[in-house]
């Protein structure tokens, strides 16, 4: 009988260990960004601010991750000596090929998020939701959930979402919680399309 | 919205413009007028006389955005229908819908459409899809939402200028913009200075199935008596004992 | 003790219980739901910068100004340009989805270009005496039409043919009464925006056998017996009594009298379904010439182009004389029934058609060469039937051709050995040189006199966002009204009169037209006919039943609808090339069960 209890308990232990320790590690697959881009270099050496590349257009839409023409504007020829820049120019600028950047914050197709409403009207800073990307020397590895196809940033780093601050995730609950905290009226179609 | 039935010539520009704006696919082989998706549909109605006393009129019908006891919102088990308190627009959330089609039964205007098939566009035509509207997969219900993509765009434009209120000229649904005769008009019914508010007050204005008490927001008008008769859906002859 | 199976089950049970206390199964359920939402095959619209680009619609002679909403340069939706003095910001259902045409699944994608070039060259060289080379231009009045005329003047025995382009324009704004003999004024006539802008200022009297869209919205509809329009016209002209007209046409005497009174009250215009119809000569009787019916004005030309072949009507060409026939069907336009063309062809004639659809002349031609579709090619729009001012409008391309295409103008110019050049640029320069008129820019709605703009800016604005207009100049009376040569043969043994109730221009239409034809019953598809209950009963036809429409020229598979609004003795059909081939030469038919 005690054997039985041990069997049960050991099964439970294995499952708990697997679920809490192993699962988060194996759930995500890591992919590399196409170019080894350094925000820090551009902020310091080029004196660029966030809005220089991640800008708003006249109609309020957000340019998001800049397209190749933004980069080619300066990098038509090598501006530094790094191998990463050389690779970039050879593989993307010269053949005029768009780098397939992996977007950490990519939402499902049916989500409508207006950057300009949050940045201009809501006075929300970029770092609040995206973290301090601008100060990093290299882009963080892109961790993707292979089943759903979304980045880890959407769910939030902890798999169980315990201890996650609102801005640490980008699921609908996180948006709704922040809107509630700010006392803003919201409707389904305000954020869906 | 206000619709002048005496101006509508049944051209169908509104139907095509709606499909272009909202990424509605062309009909698959098996589709007919019961299984097609036409968020706005122009019905041909007539005075039930034979030639030469036949007279025809064209009535565009879209989601009436019911304001009171919205039937579809009432019955949805998934809460996939949401009545926006600010605009009064009834929003349908296809991503939440499980496809039970209870709302289609509840809608008295037959203004809701089910995706019987996955959307399929001819090769290359998917390049012409509108990025402001998400395509839906099969198994969910969809309907007119007064071109919410355009409302979002108007909001973005206002936010870029630091304003919270949109400019009414920036928000025109695709059907209203497309109508070549000017039969469709759109605006804020609560704003007494708008054309739609005036149209709603005209003596020849009516709404579809008003006796149901759904308080629809589409105001139709026609000078022709027989058109107004049809829109009030009189009880068929000989069926006086029926309830409702 | 040994490990029993029960222990194994307990182990598994403990594992299951433990698993439920971990995030794993709950996360996997959520992921499975998300995975099921990202169904493969549901396309994701491309994102990018959204800009407006301008062009003109080439799907019909109205040439309405178009503002295209483009994502990364790709048009995703089209709308009219407001305000606009001609188009008034309106587009029709075909124009609204015109940007789909390059991707149409039924588009002609390839053709034997080299063989066609060789065959044409051979045939031209080996012609017999008196054998002609002809170009049939289905959309005359464009700049490329002048290229064809110059080419046919450069080739010996060259013929430039059209379906019959009447040289008049209708000034709707000046009309107080419009008497329309079946012209689809409110659905497929002229420029929609212009018609509806003027609608409140004129009284519309529609005379036709069935209640079309135009008749439904007209101020007065006269249900006339099919084929008796000329008798009613005679009564209106005073050449026969009202009583006689009422007897023959079936229209009440009061109605005929009312029309006569309205037409004689001044500022009237008479329209006909066929713009070249003899009924148009009624306009002379009502003093409309020079007022509401004016001479068509074309924008200025380079002087070098004056050496061009004259315009001839297809029906007037000599029989059996055409050795090489090139048909420009690249833009939807008029259609000459094949039975009218065939007798004009020589025994070993070569027929080349430039088209994007296989529904038109492709059925009859030996060589079908793929033409560009709207909005792929630079074209210009000739004046529409209701354009009174002189205009020059360029339809600038919005996308590159999706399939390898042959531009008919270039083909013909090369064939005739014309010097290479850009005819549109030459014409724009010639217009600019005259110093007349104004350049209207769509982006800002401003109008600038042409002489205040440089030739380069003039060309740039015409190509990017504008048009040239000259509204000055007196209205002149047109000549040659109502002298069309088309002859209809009668086949009275066929019981039903054919009436075209659904205007169908032919050519490709966006697959989204299924909304109007299949997913609703708003418009008749090309293979639909409508019968009265009496005629349906007489032929054993059920609603939705498959039938054969038979005429003296052939037969076609159709689907029948039954409607008590259709008079007996009439079959309503939708237009289009197939129907024109069947019913163009004779408007009588029979419908039998298939």
């Amino acid at each position: 009988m005690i054997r039985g209890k041990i069997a049960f308990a050991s099964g439970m232990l294995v499952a708990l260990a697997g679920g809490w320790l192993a699962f988060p590690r194996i759930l995500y697959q890591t992919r590399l960004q196409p170019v080894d881009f350094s925000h820090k270099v551009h902020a310091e050496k080029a004196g660029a601010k966030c809005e220089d590349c991640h800008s708003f257009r006249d109609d309020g839409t957000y340019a998001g991750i800049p397209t190749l023409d933004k980069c080619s504007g300066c990098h038509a020829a090598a501006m530094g000596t790094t191998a990463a820049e050389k690779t970039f120019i050879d593989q993307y600028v010269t053949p005029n090929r768009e780098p397939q950047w992996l977007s950490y914050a990519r939402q499902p197709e049916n989500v409508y998020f207006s950057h300009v409403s949050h940045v201009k009207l809501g006075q929300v800073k970029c770092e609040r939701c995206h973290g301090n990307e601008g100060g990093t020397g290299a882009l963080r590895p892109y961790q993707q959930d292979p089943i759903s196809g979304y980045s880890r940033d959407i769910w939030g780093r902890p798999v169980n979402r315990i201890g996650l601050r609102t801005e640490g995730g980008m699921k609908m609950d996180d948006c709704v919680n922040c809107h509630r905290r700010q006392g803003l009226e919201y409707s389904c179609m305000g954020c869906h399309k | 919205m206000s619709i002048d039935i005496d101006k509508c010539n049944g051209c169908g520009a509104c139907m095509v413009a709606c499909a272009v704006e909202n990424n509605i696919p062309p009909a698959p082989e098996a589709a007919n007028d019961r299984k097609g998706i036409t968020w706005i549909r122009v019905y041909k109605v007539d005075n039930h006389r034979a030639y030469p006393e036949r007279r025809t009129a064209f009535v565009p019908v879209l989601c009436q955005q019911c304001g009171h006891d919205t039937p579809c919102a009432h019955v949805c088990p998934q809460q996939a229908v949401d009545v926006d308190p600010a605009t009064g627009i009834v929003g349908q959330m296809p991503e939440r819908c499980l496809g039970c089609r209870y709302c289609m039964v509840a809608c008295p205007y037959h203004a809701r459409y089910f995706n019987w098939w996955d959307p399929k566009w001819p090769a290359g035509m998917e390049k012409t899809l509108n990025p402001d509207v998400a395509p839906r997969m099969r198994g969910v219900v969809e309907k007119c939402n007064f071109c919410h993509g355009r409302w979002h765009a108007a909001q973005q434009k206002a936010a870029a200028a630091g304003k919270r209120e949109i400019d009414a000229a920036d928000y025109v649904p695709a059907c209203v913009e497309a109508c070549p005769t000017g039969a469709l008009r759109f605006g804020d019914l609560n704003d007494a200075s708008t054309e739609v508010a005036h149209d709603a007050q005209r003596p020849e204005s009516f709404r579809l199935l008003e006796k149901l008490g759904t308080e629809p927001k589409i105001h139709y008008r026609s000078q022709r008596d027989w058109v107004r008769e049809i829109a009030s859906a009189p009880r068929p002859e000989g069926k006086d004992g029926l309830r409702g | 003790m040994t490990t029993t199976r029960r222990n194994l089950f307990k182990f598994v049970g403990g594992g299951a219980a433990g698993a439920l206390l971990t995030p794993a199964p709950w996360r996997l359920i959520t992921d499975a739901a998300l995975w099921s939402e990202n169904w493969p095959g549901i396309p994701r619209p491309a994102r990018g910068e959204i800009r407006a680009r301008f062009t003109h619609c080439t799907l019909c002679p109205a040439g309405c100004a178009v503002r295209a909403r483009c994502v990364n340069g790709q048009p995703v939706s089209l709308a009219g340009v407001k305000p606009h003095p001609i188009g008034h910001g309106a587009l029709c259902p075909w124009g609204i989805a015109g940007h789909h045409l390059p991707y149409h699944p039924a588009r002609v994608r390839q053709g034997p270009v080299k063989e066609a070039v060789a065959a044409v060259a051979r045939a031209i060289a080996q012609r017999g005496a008196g054998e002609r080379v002809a170009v049939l231009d289905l959309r005359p009045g464009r700049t490329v039409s002048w290229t064809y005329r110059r080419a046919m003047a450069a080739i010996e025995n060259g013929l430039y043919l059209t379906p019959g382009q009447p040289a008049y324009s209708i000034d709707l704004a000046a009309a107080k009464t419009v008497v329309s003999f079946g012209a689809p004024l409110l659905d497929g006539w002229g420029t929609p925006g212009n018609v509806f802008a003027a609608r409140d200022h004129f009284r519309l009297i529609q005379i036709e056998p069935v209640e079309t869209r135009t008749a439904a919205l007209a101020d007065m509809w006269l249900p006339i017996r099919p084929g008796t329009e000329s008798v009613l016209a005679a009564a209106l002209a005073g050449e026969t009594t009202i009583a006689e007209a009422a007897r023959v046409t079936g229209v009440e005497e009061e109605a005929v009298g009312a029309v006569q009174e309205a037409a004689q009250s001044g500022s009237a215009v008479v329209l006909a379904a066929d713009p070249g119809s003899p009924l148009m000569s009624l306009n002379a009787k009502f003093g409309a010439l020079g007022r509401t019916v004016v001479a068509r004005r074309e924008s200025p030309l380079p002087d070098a182009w004056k050496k061009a072949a004259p315009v001839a009507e297809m029906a007037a060409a000599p029989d059996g004389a055409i050795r090489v026939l090139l048909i420009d069907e690249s833009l939807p336009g008029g259609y000459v029934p094949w039975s009218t063309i065939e007798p004009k062809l020589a025994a070993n004639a070569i027929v080349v058609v430039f088209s994007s659809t296989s529904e038109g002349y492709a059925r009859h031609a030996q060589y079908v060469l793929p033409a560009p579709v709207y909005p792929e090619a630079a074209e210009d729009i000739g004046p529409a039937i209701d354009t009174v001012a002189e205009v020059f409008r360029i339809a600038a391309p919005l996308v590159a051709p999706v399939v390898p295409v042959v531009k008919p103008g270039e083909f013909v110019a090369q064939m005739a050995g014309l010097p290479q050049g850009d005819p549109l640029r030459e014409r724009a320069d010639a217009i600019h040189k005259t110093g007349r008129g104004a350049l209207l820019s769509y982006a800002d709605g401003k109008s600038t006199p042409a002489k205040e703009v440089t030739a380069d800016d003039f060309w740039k604005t015409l190509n990017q966002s504008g048009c040239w207009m000259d509204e000055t100049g007196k209205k002149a009376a047109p000549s040659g009204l109502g002298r069309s040569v088309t002859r209809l043969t009668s086949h009275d043994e066929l019981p039903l009169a054919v009436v075209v109730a659904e205007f169908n221009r032919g050519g490709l239409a966006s697959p989204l037209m299924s909304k109007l034809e299949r997913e609703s019953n708003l418009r008749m598809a090309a293979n639909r006919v409508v019968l009265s209950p009496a005629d349906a009963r007489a032929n054993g036809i059920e609603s939705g039943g498959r039938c054969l429409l038979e005429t003296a020229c052939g037969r076609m598979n159709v689907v029948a609808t039954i409607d008590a609004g259709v008079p007996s003795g009439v079959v309503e059909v939708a237009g289009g090339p197939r129907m024109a081939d069947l019913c163009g030469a004779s408007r009588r038919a029979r419908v039998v069960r298939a």
Side-chain angles (χ1 to χ4, degrees):
Chain A
M1 213 175 88
I2 203 104
R3 220 9 157 2
K5 287 209 174 68
I6 292 175
F8 187 85
S10 54
M12 200 156 184
L13 256 146
V14 168
L16 284 171
W20 285 98
L21 302 173
F23 180 69
R25 258 172 261 270
I26 61 173
L27 175 61
Y28 292 108
Q29 71 179 174
T30 308
R31 293 166 63 188
L32 291 176
Q33 295 285 359
V35 180
D36 186 7
F37 173 81
S38 165
H39 272 107
K40 204 160 178 195
V41 166
H42 287 76
E44 290 173 357
K45 297 244 178 87
K49 296 190 294 304
C50 307
E51 309 80 68
D52 287 342
C53 294
H54 303 287
S55 52
F56 289 110
R57 305 191 192 102
D58 291 332
D59 56 0
T61 52
Y62 190 57
I65 298 174
T67 46
L68 186 66
D69 48 281
K70 193 92 192 200
C71 315
S72 307
C74 293
H75 287 278
M79 300 198 72
T81 50
T82 57
E85 190 194 3
K86 186 167 185 313
T87 320
F88 174 62
I89 293 178
D90 289 339
Q91 288 187 358
Y92 295 100
V93 180
T94 315
N96 201 15
R97 198 161 66 102
E98 282 289 342
Q100 299 299 313
W101 298 105
L102 300 163
S103 169
Y104 302 104
R106 173 68 77 205
Q107 292 282 339
E109 189 61 37
N110 58 54
V111 171
Y112 159 74
F113 178 78
S114 168
H115 272 97
V116 69
S117 304
H118 289 79
V119 173
K120 252 201 160 151
L121 294 181
Q123 302 291 314
V124 178
K125 291 214 164 23
C126 312
E127 295 81 11
R128 181 122 171 245
C129 299
H130 294 285
N132 188 17
E133 288 292 339
T136 56
L139 294 172
R140 340 182 233 118
Y142 177 79
Q143 289 188 295
Q144 180 180 36
D145 176 343
I147 307 173
S148 68
Y150 293 112
S151 131
R152 191 171 191 167
D153 285 37
I154 304 291
W155 185 274
R157 282 208 68 80
V159 172
N160 53 16
R161 300 196 110 221
I162 291 176
L164 185 68
R165 59 186 186 100
T166 310
E167 291 81 11
M170 287 177 168
K171 292 177 78 209
M172 176 172 151
D173 284 338
D174 303 311
C175 304
V176 169
N177 287 337
C178 189
H179 273 240
R180 281 198 182 130
R181 271 209 325 253
Q182 304 290 333
L184 292 167
E185 210 180 87
Y186 59 90
S187 68
C188 301
M189 296 242 66
C191 306
H192 280 283
K193 54 173 163 111
Chain B
M1 182 179 279
S2 79
I3 299 182
D4 187 349
I5 298 183
D6 294 338
K7 280 212 164 113
C8 178
N9 67 341
C11 69
C14 55
M15 292 175 68
V16 179
C18 171
V20 168
E21 166 76 17
N22 294 295
N23 296 339
I24 302 177
E29 277 307 309
N32 56 20
D33 71 315
R34 306 288 231 102
K35 297 221 163 142
I37 303 181
T38 47
W39 290 13
I40 181 168
R41 180 169 166 176
V42 182
Y43 288 93
K44 199 167 161 185
V45 301
D46 61 69
N47 61 353
H48 300 307
R49 310 271 205 90
Y51 177 90
E53 278 85 39
R54 163 69 59 91
R55 293 293 180 270
T56 305
F58 297 97
V59 184
V61 176
L62 57 161
C63 169
Q64 303 285 302
Q65 314 286 350
C66 301
H68 180 255
D69 276 346
T70 315
C72 54
H74 241 306
V75 303
C76 179
Q78 280 288 93
Q79 291 188 305
V81 187
D82 160 74
V83 185
D84 184 353
T87 59
I89 294 178
V90 179
Q92 166 71 15
M93 251 38 68
E95 55 272 14
R96 238 179 128 101
C97 174
L98 53 76
C100 70
R101 293 186 284 137
Y102 196 170
C103 57
M104 290 173 69
V105 174
C107 177
Y109 305 103
H110 293 285
R112 288 174 149 270
Y113 300 90
F114 184 69
N115 281 280
W116 292 98
W117 303 275
D118 273 327
K120 195 156 164 40
W121 283 270
M125 218 169 109
E126 71 281 343
K127 292 198 195 91
T128 62
L129 291 178
N130 179 6
D132 288 349
V133 178
R136 285 74 56 193
M137 61 177 283
R138 69 174 187 264
V140 294
V141 173
E142 57 186 47
K143 72 165 186 72
C144 164
N145 52 29
F146 274 175
C147 281
H148 244 77
R150 296 186 174 210
W151 185 65
H152 288 157
Q155 281 201 311
Q156 291 229 95
K157 198 158 159 220
K163 292 189 279 201
R164 281 185 196 268
E165 291 293 318
I166 65 164
D167 181 357
D170 286 336
Y171 176 33
V172 179
C175 52
V176 178
E177 185 185 55
C179 178
T181 64
L184 268 57
R185 284 194 188 142
F186 182 78
D188 186 352
L189 281 172
N190 286 335
D191 179 357
S193 66
T194 56
E195 278 184 333
V196 281
H198 283 146
D199 291 337
Q201 301 302 320
R202 284 183 202 235
E204 68 271 17
S205 253
F206 59 90
R207 292 178 291 180
L208 296 179
L209 298 179
E210 284 196 71
K211 58 187 175 185
L212 293 181
T214 49
E215 295 297 311
K217 295 202 184 57
I218 317 276
H219 293 261
Y220 294 83
R221 61 186 185 282
S222 173
Q223 306 271 13
R224 292 174 276 182
D225 291 332
W226 68 267
V227 172
R228 291 205 296 280
E229 263 254 345
I230 286 193
S232 68
R235 182 136 329 120
E237 281 168 12
K239 309 230 175 180
D240 298 318
L242 292 177
R243 287 185 297 137
Chain C
M1 279 195 303
T2 52
T3 312
T4 65
R5 201 166 33 212
R6 179 177 259 178
N7 291 334
L8 183 62
F9 286 146
K10 289 231 167 99
F11 181 81
V12 170
L20 286 177
L21 294 174
T22 69
W26 313 110
R27 180 59 190 270
L28 287 173
I29 289 175
T30 308
D31 278 356
L34 289 171
W35 168 82
S36 73
E37 279 175 13
N38 295 332
W39 213 241
I42 310 290
R44 296 182 130 225
R47 298 186 191 195
E49 186 169 9
I50 298 180
R51 272 230 170 99
R53 292 168 71 190
F54 296 92
T55 185
H56 292 93
C57 182
T58 57
L59 294 179
C60 93
C64 303
V66 169
R67 188 185 77 246
R69 182 169 179 255
C70 299
V71 176
N72 282 337
Q74 164 74 41
V76 298
S77 72
L78 307 176
V81 173
K82 284 184 174 86
H84 195 280
I86 306 178
H88 299 273
L91 288 184
C92 72
W94 291 269
I96 292 266
H99 59 303
H100 291 163
L101 296 181
Y103 316 103
H104 199 288
R107 180 188 181 171
V108 172
R109 285 166 188 271
Q110 58 190 20
V113 185
K114 288 203 182 66
E115 290 90 330
V117 172
V120 166
R122 222 179 11 249
I124 292 182
Q126 293 168 359
R127 281 185 286 172
E131 283 194 330
R132 316 280 210 277
V133 174
V135 170
L136 174 58
D137 182 4
L138 296 175
R139 182 84 80 81
R142 300 173 284 164
T143 293
V144 75
S145 310
W146 282 99
T147 304
Y148 297 145
R149 291 177 66 177
R150 287 154 56 211
M152 291 301 101
I155 289 190
E156 200 192 317
N157 270 333
L159 253 189
Y160 172 75
L161 301 168
T162 70
Q165 169 83 341
Y168 65 85
S169 291
I170 306 288
D171 189 353
L172 265 189
K176 292 221 172 53
T177 308
V178 175
V179 178
S180 163
F181 284 89
L185 187 71
L186 302 182
D187 184 42
W189 185 94
T191 311
N194 187 41
V195 172
F196 293 116
R199 179 69 186 95
D200 288 333
H201 305 302
F202 62 80
R203 189 156 169 248
L204 173 60
I205 301 171
Q206 185 78 357
I207 304 169
E208 62 186 334
V210 299
E211 198 208 15
T212 59
R213 281 181 175 70
T214 305
L217 290 189
D219 296 297
M220 212 168 130
W221 168 45
L222 269 54
I224 191 174
R225 277 199 198 105
T228 62
E229 285 85 359
S230 50
V231 179
L232 183 55
L236 293 180
E239 288 160 17
T240 180
T241 61
I242 293 185
E244 173 66 11
R247 189 188 64 80
V248 174
T249 63
V251 178
E252 286 164 12
E253 283 190 33
E254 298 156 27
V256 181
V259 179
Q260 196 178 49
E261 210 182 296
Q264 286 167 346
S265 63
S267 302
V269 61
V270 175
L271 301 176
D274 172 13
S277 156
L279 294 167
M280 289 302 292
S281 52
L282 257 186
N283 281 297
K285 294 266 158 59
F286 298 131
L289 301 186
R291 288 216 195 99
T292 49
V293 185
V294 300
R296 170 165 302 190
R297 295 164 61 190
E298 261 200 79
S299 51
L301 296 168
D303 289 324
W305 292 6
K306 299 289 164 62
K307 182 177 184 310
V311 181
E313 221 179 287
M314 184 74 192
D319 281 359
I322 298 180
R323 179 69 194 280
V324 177
L325 178 60
L326 302 142
I327 306 179
D328 180 358
E329 205 187 13
S330 60
L331 295 184
Y335 186 86
V336 181
W338 187 247
S339 51
T340 309
I341 297 180
E342 212 174 357
K344 316 288 179 190
L345 298 176
N348 47 0
I350 307 253
V351 181
V352 178
V353 66
F354 304 91
S355 183
S356 53
T357 169
S358 38
E359 282 295 297
Y361 290 111
R363 292 170 293 134
H364 305 296
Q366 279 114 329
Y367 298 96
V368 182
L369 303 185
V373 284
Y374 168 75
E376 285 175 345
E379 268 289 0
D380 80 316
I381 323 283
I385 197 167
D386 59 344
T387 313
V388 178
E390 277 182 57
V391 293
F392 185 61
R393 304 172 281 183
I394 293 183
L398 296 179
V399 296
V402 170
V403 300
V405 294
V406 177
K407 299 205 175 95
E410 285 177 11
F411 186 101
V412 172
Q414 229 170 19
M415 176 189 82
L418 288 183
Q420 282 216 351
D422 184 355
L424 285 175
R425 179 75 206 241
E426 289 168 31
R427 188 156 189 186
D429 286 340
I431 294 173
H432 181 255
K433 233 167 58 171
T434 65
R436 281 194 284 123
L439 188 63
L440 173 62
S441 164
Y442 297 151
D444 51 22
K446 288 207 180 68
S447 181
T448 320
K451 53 178 181 277
E452 289 174 22
V453 183
T454 66
D456 281 336
D457 282 341
F458 188 71
W459 174 242
K460 188 156 163 242
T461 307
L462 285 176
N463 271 291
Q464 288 188 354
S465 64
C467 71
W468 174 84
M469 275 179 72
D470 185 3
E471 290 172 292
T472 62
K474 281 221 195 119
K475 299 198 284 194
S479 57
L481 212 59
R483 283 202 241 125
S484 168
V485 188
T486 324
R487 258 179 291 277
L488 290 179
T489 49
S490 72
H491 285 270
D492 289 331
E493 73 281 8
L494 293 170
L496 301 172
V498 175
V499 176
V500 177
E502 186 66 66
F503 186 70
N504 185 335
R505 203 174 285 283
L508 294 176
S510 163
L512 282 187
M513 294 307 281
S514 68
K515 304 286 160 210
L516 309 187
E517 290 171 1
R518 256 196 309 141
E519 296 172 81
S520 73
N521 33 29
L522 187 63
R523 282 191 182 268
M524 288 167 67
N527 68 340
R528 276 266 162 189
V529 299
V530 188
L531 295 167
S532 68
D535 288 326
R537 247 192 324 268
N539 291 291
I541 291 168
E542 292 163 0
S543 191
R546 299 199 171 276
C547 315
L548 274 177
L549 176 72
E550 292 178 348
T551 70
C553 300
R555 50 161 60 137
M556 184 169 144
N557 282 313
V558 294
V559 177
T561 307
I562 301 178
D563 186 359
V566 177
S568 59
V570 163
V571 56
E572 273 188 25
V573 302
R578 281 187 194 264
M579 200 54 76
D581 277 347
L582 266 189
C583 313
S586 156
R587 298 268 157 80
R588 300 215 54 99
R590 165 193 304 128
V591 179
V592 295
R593 256 170 85 144

